[in-house]
Amino acid sequence: MVRTALLHLLEGAFALTALLGVALVYLPAALILGGLAGVVAVERALPGPPPTSRKERRP
C-alpha cells in the first residue's frame, strides 16, 4: 500500500516537473499537455465496465 502511494506520488511529481519544463519554453503547449494528462488520469481512475459472463453455446 505504501509502495503504491509512493509510486503515485513520484509519478505526479514527474508529470508536474515535465509540465513546468514545457511551460518555461511555451505556455500554451503546457496547458494542452496538462489537459491531456487530466483526461488520462480520469480515464485511469474510472472503473472499467462490469464483467460479463460468457455462456457457452451448445450445438
Side-chain angles (χ1 to χ4, degrees), residues 2-31:
V2 173
R3 182 177 178 188
T4 305
L6 182 63
L7 287 176
H8 282 223
L9 183 65
L10 187 62
E11 180 182 6
F14 172 75
L16 289 175
T17 304
L19 283 175
L20 180 63
V22 172
L24 289 173
V25 176
Y26 191 58
L27 184 61
L31 294 173

